[in-house]
Amino acid sequence: MNYLKLNQDGTAATTGIDIPVQKLQTVLYNQIKGLWPVTDANFNMYGRAYRNQLDTGYVPEVYIGNGEYKDSYFDDTLKGSAFFGLGEVGKATKEGDVTANVFLIFMVNLDLIKPGTNRNDEEVRIDIERLCLERNYGFFLSGIITGIDQVFKEYNIKSIKFRDMQPWHCFRLNFNITYNIYDIN
């Protein structure tokens, strides 16, 4: 399922960083469904997750409404999931342009996404890299990260149940983007 951030009236978020995030999120989700054997029922894609602090440390959580959040770590009942995160430091100009660091984390079951006799982690990453380079909506790819410690460096990884071992794989794409705070969708 593609979980978009919604405004109070139920329409898609229309301000700030959420405009380009949701554009890329929507396009990627639809393209992934055409590329991998996934459906709304077995692949979740979230927009911008919040870095919320719990007593155990920081976790990526998406707001689901009514003051409730849901963690966006991997769910083993799915073939995969993904979410966007936002770096804590941005650079702004007096004209309203903000340059931000955004990342996109994928957590997948390789046996269900790209089955084969090998661990097809590189094939899965390349699929997503190509999609991001084709339709970037102002996102400029600055790095591809593997290794669970670096992929989730902003969060408490002790609470992650699965490690990056067959069939599980997680990876991260880092982006730079400039958007204007006065833009509305």
Side-chain angles (χ1 to χ4, degrees):
M1 176 70 87
N2 191 18
Y3 293 94
L4 298 174
K5 181 178 178 185
L6 301 177
N7 292 320
Q8 292 282 356
D9 62 2
T11 59
T14 58
T15 56
I17 190 69
D18 293 319
I19 294 172
V21 164
Q22 288 201 154
K23 284 180 182 176
L24 183 58
Q25 174 189 351
T26 300
V27 168
L28 278 179
Y29 182 76
N30 291 327
Q31 290 178 324
I32 288 168
K33 283 177 47 180
L35 186 62
W36 293 344
V38 297
T39 66
D40 289 342
N42 61 30
F43 186 85
N44 287 341
M45 186 153 198
Y46 300 99
R48 182 170 51 93
Y50 295 91
R51 183 175 179 254
N52 289 342
Q53 186 173 9
L54 304 176
D55 54 350
T56 57
Y58 290 99
V59 295
E61 293 184 319
V62 290
Y63 186 71
I64 57 174
N66 298 322
E68 298 292 322
Y69 290 84
K70 174 188 181 304
D71 82 59
S72 45
Y73 284 135
F74 189 69
D75 177 347
D76 66 344
T77 65
L78 302 173
K79 291 183 177 184
S81 61
F83 69 88
F84 288 85
L86 181 61
E88 292 186 351
V89 177
K91 188 171 104 178
T93 67
K94 64 182 176 183
E95 292 82 19
D97 287 332
V98 177
T99 300
N101 298 316
V102 175
F103 54 88
L104 175 57
I105 294 178
F106 276 84
M107 299 151 287
V108 298
N109 182 326
L110 294 171
D111 286 347
L112 301 176
I113 297 290
K114 285 259 189 205
T117 58
N118 297 307
R119 178 173 166 81
N120 291 323
D121 56 341
E122 181 70 5
E123 291 79 0
V124 166
R125 286 192 306 272
I126 286 174
D127 283 348
I128 299 302
E129 290 170 47
R130 287 178 178 158
L131 293 177
C132 288
L133 290 172
E134 289 170 6
R135 298 280 182 110
N136 67 19
Y137 293 101
F139 287 82
F140 296 97
L141 187 61
S142 63
I144 298 100
I145 309 295
T146 59
I148 201 161
D149 293 339
Q150 290 302 306
V151 169
F152 292 101
K153 69 181 181 178
E154 291 86 1
Y155 308 107
N156 175 18
I157 64 167
K158 292 176 186 164
S159 61
I160 298 176
K161 179 179 172 183
F162 298 100
R163 297 295 175 204
D164 195 2
M165 293 175 57
Q166 189 65 14
W168 313 112
H169 181 50
C170 64
F171 62 99
R172 168 178 170 154
L173 287 86
N174 289 340
F175 299 96
N176 295 315
I177 184 168
T178 299
Y179 64 96
N180 191 284
I181 62 171
Y182 296 108
D183 289 344
I184 56 173
N185 196 12

